[in-house]
Amino acid sequence: MIIPFIKKDLLVLYRNPQELLVLLLMPLILIMILGFALGGLMGDNQAPISMKVALLDRSDEQRDVEAFNQKVQEKELPVEAAEALSQGATQLKPIQILVDEVFGSKELKEIVQLDMIDSDKIDDIRNDESFAAIIEIPENYTLDILSAVLLEEPTATSIKLFKNEGKEISTNVVEDVLVNYQKQLSTITLVEKEGIQLEALNEKLGAVETVSKQDPINSMQYYTVGMSVMFILFIASNISSFAYREKQTHVFNRILLSNTSRWSYFIGIFTSVIIIAFIQQMILYGVTSLIFQIVWKDIVAFMIVNVSLCFAIGGLATLLTALNFRINSESVSNFFGNVIVAIISFLGGSFIPVGDSASVIGMLGNYTPNGSGMTALLQLLQGEKLAAIYPNILYLLIFGLIMLTLAVASFPKRGDAI
């Protein structure tokens, strides 16, 4: 029966308040300190970019479209060709695209206030430091663009940008927007030359979406996971140390004299560590959920990852216990708790993001139980499903089994010196 051993380990830990503080209070304090202190480095709480941009339109787009249609009629083209050009002119309205689709997009509307101004106000706007830039569209702009795109006539028309040198970041954003707008017009030009209708193109291609839909990770979320998977490692060193002290105080020998198998004791440690580690993780994540609003959308996947991580730590604790018994010293647990934990916590990314799996440190980190567990948990916070983190879960289970196998091979057999 292993239940008495589980109860024993729980009571031993409960009667050591110093160990409880290390396992529960210390990670919460570090989460709070690191989460707030390093939030700026991870993109948290940055003041959003906000800017005012003035748009001076010296052209008349509707008039330009009508002038283009008149130009098409004067060329005496076939009826079908003339109708196609007129339809293209109706669809391709560069100023409307710039105002409604570019600056009117959801992303830019949140940061850019676009004010349409008259020509008599341009001098006042230039002296107004609240404006980051002035965009000036010349006369006959739409006519020149339509003639260049649809009739392949040369044109030198261009949009002018007046920048406020005191708002360098904002003006760079506006400039980048206009450059991308020019690229968009160039793409439309190629499409029109191939004879593809813009509406048909939109229907075929559909909406443009970003490649990655992962939710961003803030510093509080990052260090909640980082500190939790780091301090779970101390359970392995603490419980293995407790087990060796029971050997020193002859508790282990009295257990053997009671006709209890040493393997029951051994499996009891393995099971105790899994239970204690799981309780620790649930307390840490529960407190951070209440205080810092760390929300886990997929609870089932969250539980599976934590159980797998606890299984890996259980196997690690049994190996440390077996090595302590084998060399008749507590030095293995002490070395692990004082040195190894810090090293693999760094590799696993508990302190700072050390890079993705393509980097050397990132690759090494994913081979540590804490690093693999942290990767899986962060992916869950980013909205990934269970199938995406299946390799991490499988690795944790295999790691736990390997540690358990090595522990069984290292644990002194009956008749060995204990």
Side-chain angles (χ1 to χ4, degrees):
M1 293 292 291
I2 64 173
I3 294 179
F5 297 118
I6 297 174
K7 182 179 178 181
K8 170 186 66 68
D9 289 333
L10 289 172
L11 287 174
V12 169
L13 187 60
Y14 176 75
R15 291 169 182 171
N16 283 269
Q18 183 177 357
E19 302 295 340
L20 287 175
L21 289 176
V22 171
L23 296 177
L24 297 176
L25 185 59
M26 185 63 71
L28 291 174
I29 293 175
L30 288 176
I31 289 170
M32 182 175 62
I33 294 174
L34 294 173
F36 285 118
L38 302 181
L41 298 178
M42 300 189 68
D44 295 0
N45 302 320
Q46 291 183 350
I49 298 176
S50 179
M51 67 189 79
K52 290 174 64 178
V53 177
L55 177 63
L56 173 60
D57 185 4
R58 297 186 182 275
S59 69
D60 185 330
E61 193 154 58
Q62 185 59 39
R63 186 190 62 195
D64 285 352
V65 171
E66 293 173 357
F68 175 79
N69 290 332
Q70 182 64 32
K71 181 185 290 189
V72 170
Q73 292 177 5
E74 293 174 356
K75 289 183 175 293
E76 298 181 354
L77 298 172
V79 176
E80 293 182 357
E83 290 180 352
L85 290 173
S86 296
Q87 186 177 1
T90 302
Q91 294 178 2
L92 178 58
K93 295 183 178 181
I95 299 175
Q96 184 177 336
I97 292 174
L98 178 64
V99 174
D100 296 341
E101 298 183 19
V102 179
F103 284 104
S105 64
K106 179 181 177 182
E107 294 79 5
L108 284 181
K109 282 182 69 175
E110 295 178 354
I111 63 174
V112 178
Q113 176 185 328
L114 185 66
D115 293 345
M116 308 294 293
I117 63 171
D118 297 326
S119 57
D120 58 349
K121 294 183 179 180
I122 189 168
D123 291 333
D124 295 334
I125 299 298
R126 285 178 177 175
N127 296 324
D128 189 342
E129 290 297 323
S130 65
F131 282 87
I134 301 174
I135 301 172
E136 182 179 347
I137 298 175
E139 294 182 2
N140 303 323
Y141 178 75
T142 298
L143 176 60
D144 292 338
I145 292 297
L146 291 177
S147 299
V149 171
L150 301 178
L151 300 178
E152 299 185 359
E153 294 181 356
T155 181
T157 189
S158 62
I159 295 176
K160 294 181 181 179
L161 176 64
F162 299 93
K163 299 189 290 185
N164 184 344
E165 300 299 336
K167 297 180 179 293
E168 183 177 357
I169 296 178
S170 299
T171 55
N172 288 339
V173 170
V174 176
E175 188 172 13
D176 289 340
V177 168
L178 292 179
V179 169
N180 288 323
Y181 162 73
Q182 182 60 47
K183 292 179 180 178
Q184 183 180 1
L185 278 184
S186 299
T187 301
I188 294 174
T189 301
L190 293 175
V191 170
E192 287 290 339
K193 286 182 179 179
E194 294 298 326
I196 303 174
Q197 296 297 322
L198 296 181
E199 292 180 356
L201 180 69
N202 290 333
E203 290 176 359
K204 291 179 180 179
L205 298 182
V208 177
E209 298 180 357
T210 55
V211 174
S212 175
K213 290 187 176 181
Q214 292 183 336
D215 298 330
I217 295 292
N218 60 43
S219 61
M220 201 61 70
Q221 291 172 320
Y222 185 88
Y223 286 110
T224 292
V225 177
M227 293 299 104
S228 296
V229 299
M230 172 182 171
F231 278 86
I232 197 175
L233 297 170
F234 287 107
I235 294 178
S237 62
N238 289 343
I239 298 300
S240 60
S241 293
F242 292 158
Y244 181 75
R245 291 168 196 168
E246 289 176 344
K247 176 180 179 295
Q248 283 186 315
T249 56
H250 305 292
V251 172
F252 179 69
N253 289 332
R254 288 196 293 271
I255 291 173
L256 296 181
L257 290 175
S258 65
N259 201 28
T260 300
S261 170
R262 66 185 61 204
W263 299 115
S264 296
Y265 177 82
F266 184 77
I267 298 301
I269 292 175
F270 174 70
T271 309
S272 297
V273 171
I274 293 177
I275 294 174
I276 293 171
F278 186 78
I279 293 173
Q280 179 211 36
Q281 295 297 288
M282 293 305 101
I283 291 175
L284 293 178
Y285 289 123
V287 172
T288 53
S289 295
L290 293 174
I291 299 178
F292 306 121
Q293 286 77 50
I294 309 297
V295 179
W296 298 91
K297 299 177 182 178
D298 193 340
I299 297 297
V300 174
F302 168 73
M303 290 294 182
I304 291 175
V305 173
N306 275 287
V307 170
S308 303
L309 178 59
C310 294
F311 182 85
I313 299 303
L316 183 60
T318 53
L319 177 60
L320 295 176
T321 301
L323 293 176
N324 284 339
F325 276 58
R326 169 63 66 180
I327 68 175
N328 197 29
S329 172
E330 196 180 345
S331 58
V332 174
S333 293
N334 292 336
F335 181 76
F336 178 82
N338 295 329
V339 179
I340 301 300
V341 168
I343 295 175
I344 63 177
S345 294
F346 170 75
L347 293 175
S350 288
F351 302 122
I352 56 173
V354 293
D356 56 25
S357 57
S359 66
V360 175
I361 296 180
M363 182 181 64
L364 293 176
N366 281 329
Y367 284 111
T368 64
N370 55 301
S372 184
M374 185 173 181
T375 299
L377 291 169
L378 289 178
Q379 288 181 335
L380 288 180
L381 283 174
Q382 290 179 307
E384 294 286 1
K385 301 299 182 182
L386 182 61
I389 59 173
Y390 172 75
N392 299 91
I393 295 173
L394 182 62
Y395 174 77
L396 290 172
L397 295 176
I398 293 175
F399 179 89
L401 288 175
I402 292 175
M403 295 296 103
L404 189 60
T405 302
L406 293 175
V408 170
S410 304
F411 198 71
K413 310 299 186 294
R414 188 177 297 275
D416 291 346
I418 296 181

